[in-house]
Amino acid sequence: MPATDLSRLQLPRACRDALARPRPERIDGHTIAIAPDWWNTAIAVARLPGAPVTDPDVAQLSRGDLFTDAANLDTSSETELLRFLWRVLAWGSGMKLRLNRKRIRAVADNRSSTVAALRGALRAAREDPAQAYEVLRPGGRNAIAYLGPAFSTKVLYFAGGALDHPCAILDSRVAATLRNNCGWDSLGGGEWPTSTYARYSALLDRWAREESGRLGRRVGVDEIERWLFRPTR
């Protein structure tokens, strides 16, 4: 199938309506219930740093929490990098923990390369989505085993947290809305190459700039991604 001409795609009216809601409500306050005891135990069993994933008696994480993590993250610290990874994985997984034990084991087996990949990706994420994605998905493979496109892009997204951060989450639900509601007919099912993530980033950037002009405020790419993930929000 020929590559869809993304320049002709328009943001659906339903998404434009959703953008009328306050950003803090839709983005910073987007909270997910997690399983901290499971994470803390699994990390301890693997003898890895970064636990506990939350303060005592806290069993949820919000996008705002992870933005704060990123703003204070010391990328020279292995412990801080891994705690950031665990918290992103916990938020992204919610109560569905499938594959996370394998992810933790993969980090334990390749600790130094995992930390190096995270450090390189997080530094690039603030400026160049394609470069950052390629660090975690070099040549279309996982730099960190079991960390595919969906979770890789969550890591890249939370790495910045600022309103003008260029990376956005791309997963199967976002992709389904882009195909079914927005007309990106050629978008594949999940193993997206770096070139596709670059096109996705550019599309959301264009839409965000257009909506910023319409609404008279800065619209972040994540505000559009939030609707793409769940077209009723």
Side-chain angles (χ1 to χ4, degrees):
M1 176 181 294
T4 302
D5 178 6
L6 302 188
S7 68
R8 65 177 177 80
L9 300 190
Q10 299 301 311
L11 193 63
R13 175 62 182 270
C15 183
R16 297 177 73 189
D17 291 344
L19 294 175
R21 292 172 54 196
R23 174 183 171 84
E25 175 187 323
R26 295 185 64 241
I27 302 301
D28 297 62
H30 180 200
T31 300
I32 302 295
I34 66 168
D37 291 343
W38 184 93
W39 282 98
N40 295 337
T41 299
I43 292 165
V45 167
R47 298 182 178 181
L48 288 167
V53 296
T54 61
D55 292 333
D57 302 319
V58 175
Q60 61 184 24
L61 284 170
S62 70
R63 293 196 189 209
D65 293 330
L66 294 170
F67 294 160
T68 299
D69 288 350
N72 298 312
L73 183 62
D74 177 3
T75 58
S76 68
S77 167
E78 177 186 80
T79 297
E80 288 195 26
L81 281 170
L82 289 180
R83 185 170 188 267
F84 179 71
L85 175 63
W86 307 143
R87 281 165 65 85
V88 171
L89 291 176
W91 180 89
S93 300
M95 303 305 291
K96 298 178 181 179
L97 298 168
R98 187 178 71 88
L99 293 183
N100 280 313
R101 199 178 302 278
K102 291 183 177 180
R103 291 186 179 108
I104 293 170
R105 186 71 260 164
V107 172
D109 291 342
N110 300 278
R111 187 161 160 176
S112 61
S113 64
T114 294
V115 169
L118 286 173
R119 186 173 290 128
L122 267 57
R123 288 174 177 167
R126 298 175 186 272
E127 302 293 337
D128 189 332
Q131 180 184 347
Y133 186 85
E134 182 66 19
V135 172
L136 293 182
R137 294 275 300 159
R141 62 179 180 81
N142 296 335
I144 303 169
Y146 301 102
L147 197 75
F151 278 98
S152 290
T153 57
K154 288 178 176 68
V155 170
L156 299 182
Y157 165 59
F158 284 117
L163 180 58
D164 59 354
H165 190 255
C167 294
I169 298 168
L170 176 59
D171 61 18
S172 60
R173 292 182 63 165
V174 170
T177 304
L178 285 167
R179 287 192 301 268
N180 300 332
N181 299 64
C182 304
W184 190 343
D185 300 325
S186 66
L187 183 60
E191 292 299 317
W192 301 290
T194 297
S195 58
T196 297
Y197 188 66
R199 297 184 75 213
Y200 168 69
S201 301
L203 175 64
L204 263 61
D205 178 70
R206 173 171 69 81
W207 280 343
R209 286 186 283 106
E210 291 172 352
E211 292 307 299
S212 296
R214 182 178 69 87
L215 293 172
R217 69 168 180 87
R218 182 70 172 89
V219 173
V221 296
D222 54 356
E223 296 179 64
I224 296 171
E225 169 267 309
R226 178 81 171 95
W227 182 85
L228 292 170
F229 178 79
R230 184 170 293 176
T232 58
R233 297 292 177 91

